[in-house]
């Protein structure tokens, strides 16, 4: 009987130690949200390892800004305006995204 209790105690202790050391904490994430175009909000989030844009449940890397703008429909709104300089309008939207990302990077607690 003592042998069974001893073996159960060791097995339980092994499970407890394995569980304790196998759990990893999620990295702390700093996020900021801003309106990029009319009623379209994009979130920029940074962790210790990476920064991403989030929109409509999908994540975009920093180099996927044009794809993000296409998915938001902001580029359609820019084309509908038929402004003289479409490139300037797109550049303005990209600048808004980059400013949002800069704000997330500067305030990222885990990045420091």
């Amino acid at each position: 009987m003592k042998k069974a209790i001893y073996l159960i105690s060791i097995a339980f202790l092994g499970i407890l130690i394995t569980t304790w050391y196998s759990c990893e904490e999620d990295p702390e994430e700093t996020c900021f949200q801003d309106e990029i175009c009319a009623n379209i909000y994009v979130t920029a989030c940074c962790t210790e390892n990476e920064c991403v844009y989030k929109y409509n449940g999908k994540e975009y890397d920093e180099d996927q800004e044009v794809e993000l703008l296409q998915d938001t429909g902001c580029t359609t709104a820019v084309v509908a305006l038929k402004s003289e300089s479409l490139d300037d309008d797109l550049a303005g939207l990209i600048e808004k995204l980059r400013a949002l990302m800069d704000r997330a990077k500067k305030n990222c607690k885990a990045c420091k």
Side-chain angles (χ1 to χ4, degrees):
M1 184 69 174
K2 286 183 181 183
K3 188 176 181 180
I5 293 174
Y6 179 73
L7 290 175
I8 291 173
S9 298
I10 288 182
F12 179 73
L13 185 61
I15 291 170
L16 183 65
I17 290 171
T18 302
T19 304
W20 179 266
Y21 285 104
S22 67
C23 292
E24 292 183 21
E25 291 184 21
D26 290 334
E28 189 173 328
E29 189 174 57
T30 302
C31 296
F32 287 94
Q33 188 177 50
D34 198 6
E35 185 176 27
I36 300 304
C37 59
N39 295 322
I40 302 294
Y41 291 89
V42 174
T43 305
C45 296
C46 288
T47 63
E48 184 177 308
N49 302 324
E50 69 176 339
C51 293
V52 294
Y53 295 107
K54 294 182 180 182
Y55 174 72
N56 204 21
K58 188 175 175 187
E59 291 185 357
Y60 301 84
D61 291 331
E62 289 182 75
D63 60 347
Q64 294 178 309
E65 292 165 334
V66 174
E67 182 183 338
L68 169 60
L69 290 173
Q70 289 172 345
D71 288 351
T72 61
C74 289
T75 54
T76 307
V78 169
V79 172
L81 292 175
K82 295 184 181 178
S83 66
E84 294 175 5
S85 179
L86 178 63
D87 290 337
D88 288 344
D89 290 338
L90 289 176
L93 291 174
I94 290 174
E95 282 302 313
K96 278 186 172 182
L97 287 174
R98 289 185 181 160
L100 178 62
M101 184 60 74
D102 287 342
R103 198 166 119 208
K105 284 180 180 179
K106 286 179 185 174
N107 292 298
C108 179
K109 296 173 187 171
C111 301
K112 297 176 183 176

